[in-house]
Amino acid sequence: MNITLRRTCAASVVLGGIGLILWLGFGLPRDGDDLGLWALRVGLGLAGLGAIHGGVRLMFPDRSGESDAANMV
């Protein structure tokens, strides 16, 4: 994959995750203490954090494993 395309996709995923987290924190209405809505908010929060983590891993891939495999050949 082209590095420019990879970093553009990663930046959009990170910004989407940040937007989701900010929407949960400041914009999602809290109409009650329903356990189902609480679980939905927690799930969306974890999805947002996962998107941020995935975007960072996409932008800066871990290459230490590749160098070890190349040294063994």
Side-chain angles (χ1 to χ4, degrees):
M1 180 183 262
N2 188 2
I3 191 72
T4 306
L5 179 62
R6 184 179 180 120
R7 292 218 170 143
T8 303
C9 291
S12 64
V13 168
V14 168
L15 289 176
I18 290 171
L20 179 62
I21 294 294
L22 288 175
W23 178 69
L24 284 171
F26 297 116
L28 186 66
R30 295 189 176 125
D31 290 336
D33 294 330
D34 188 19
L35 183 62
L37 289 177
W38 178 83
L40 178 67
R41 283 194 302 264
V42 169
L44 285 174
L46 289 175
L49 290 175
I52 294 170
H53 176 73
V56 170
R57 292 286 305 251
L58 188 63
M59 190 175 293
F60 304 109
D62 185 21
R63 300 204 185 248
S64 63
E66 293 176 6
S67 64
D68 292 339
N71 290 334
M72 296 178 87
V73 174

